[in-house]
Amino acid sequence: MSFNVFKRAVDQFTALGGTHLCFAPVVGEALIDRELEGKVAYARQFPQYERLELWTNAILLTRKRFEALVDAGINEFYISMSGFSAAEYKQLYRNNNYAKVIQNLNEIAQSSALKNVKFAVMARTCSPAPEQEPDYIKMRELDAFPIVFKNEMFSWHGQIKENDLPGNMSIIDGPRDQTKPCFLLWAGFTLMSNGDMTVCGCTDIDGVGLPLGNIQDVPIDAHLRDGRWLKLRDSFIAGAPPDFCKGCDMYSPHEISSQKSASPL
């Protein structure tokens, strides 16, 4: 994403009262952006941002890069990881960077900057006993950050099938009922690298499932003002969610006290 597109988004979102930015591509790796620290620092100048969040596979998250990102303003780090074995990592991620990731995590565990941020490893694993892996045991002995294991996967709007997964992993079951609006209607919007906006940052990989227009042509809040947000909300309440949303295994209902008066801001 160009700095100009990013700046336009942050300026508009700040004016709307935004308090949380997540630096996480729908599909991709944020750390390949050589301007990332500058973008984070630009957002951090606005004191209203309580959370500046980063998701990464940690291949490029050296201790030096981690500390630079903390200095720039990131205060939440989430690491997408497999179980703690080289064989499983290669099976799931299809590359040979396991040793590099483990080295990065071990070095970050020694950093004094860690005490100033939230940091967690989110491990999707096919191992029946991931807690018994030697590398995990060594990592836990450092007691530096939480490690969460899960063996369920989202289908990413049908792109991952059950037979794509190794043993002990499964696709999360889709919803039986979608008569309450999805939480994403209140979670903000997702900005694609070219400036296209989408309601859904979970599965709208190309930004065409629930598009909101391009930020260079349409202000962020246009979908709040022209009735599109209300139409999406009401379609769930009426039991007829958008076709793109039907059966989505990332769906989570948003509980609100008044369906009539609620708005995402």
Side-chain angles (χ1 to χ4, degrees), residues 14-205:
T14 301
L16 289 169
T19 60
H20 174 202
L21 291 177
C22 180
F23 294 83
V26 180
V27 173
E29 171 53 48
L31 293 184
I32 65 173
D33 185 352
R34 295 180 181 180
E35 293 185 311
L36 181 60
E37 285 83 348
K39 291 172 180 172
V40 173
Y42 182 82
R44 178 49 71 198
Q45 70 177 310
F46 302 105
Q48 70 195 58
Y49 287 106
E50 301 165 2
R51 299 172 61 194
L52 294 184
E53 173 185 343
L54 173 70
W55 284 79
T56 172
N57 59 31
I59 293 172
L60 299 176
L61 191 66
T62 61
R63 176 174 174 172
K64 181 179 180 181
R65 191 87 191 268
F66 165 72
E67 290 173 347
L69 285 163
V70 174
D71 287 343
I74 295 290
N75 59 6
E76 294 187 20
F77 290 80
Y78 298 97
I79 311 304
S80 295
M81 180 66 178
S82 69
F84 284 73
S85 79
E88 180 183 339
Y89 183 91
K90 186 169 185 179
Q91 182 181 25
L92 296 181
Y93 280 80
R94 302 177 188 181
N95 66 60
N96 294 309
N97 288 303
Y98 174 77
K100 184 181 294 186
V101 172
I102 292 297
Q103 179 182 351
N104 288 343
L105 292 177
N106 275 300
E107 292 180 358
I108 289 169
Q110 312 300 322
S111 174
S112 61
L114 195 59
K115 68 179 183 297
N116 299 320
V117 300
K118 183 176 181 179
F119 192 102
V121 175
M122 316 303 288
R124 302 280 180 177
T125 179
C126 60
S127 172
E131 299 89 352
Q132 296 178 18
E133 296 289 351
D135 283 345
Y136 170 77
I137 293 171
K138 292 176 184 177
M139 193 72 66
R140 288 306 306 150
E141 288 174 349
L142 296 174
D143 195 27
F145 39 73
I147 300 170
V148 180
F149 288 113
K150 292 187 177 182
N151 63 3
E152 291 184 313
M153 289 287 293
F154 295 109
S155 70
W156 290 92
H157 217 269
Q159 296 194 72
I160 299 176
K161 309 294 184 184
E162 195 81 34
N163 59 10
D164 292 325
L165 301 176
N168 297 312
M169 296 190 81
S170 61
I171 298 292
I172 292 174
D173 290 335
R176 296 182 179 179
D177 177 71
Q178 288 180 288
T179 55
K180 293 180 179 178
C182 180
F183 80 100
L184 282 170
L185 289 173
W186 281 263
F189 70 101
T190 292
L191 187 68
M192 315 300 284
S193 62
N194 65 353
D196 286 343
M197 296 180 288
T198 173
V199 173
C200 179
C202 283
T203 62
D204 195 1
I205 294 172

Side-chain angles (χ1 to χ4, degrees), residues 191-253:
L191 187 68
M192 315 300 284
S193 62
N194 65 353
D196 286 343
M197 296 180 288
T198 173
V199 173
C200 179
C202 283
T203 62
D204 195 1
I205 294 172
D206 299 315
V208 297
L210 294 173
L212 298 172
N214 192 288
I215 195 172
Q216 300 184 79
D217 306 314
V218 183
I220 287 174
D221 64 343
H223 68 293
L224 303 178
R225 313 303 177 204
D226 66 8
R228 281 183 291 172
W229 183 87
L230 292 174
K231 185 176 180 180
L232 283 171
R233 182 205 66 178
D234 291 345
S235 70
F236 280 94
I237 297 171
D243 289 341
F244 182 80
C245 302
K246 290 178 180 176
C248 177
D249 48 31
M250 288 192 182
Y251 165 81
S252 181

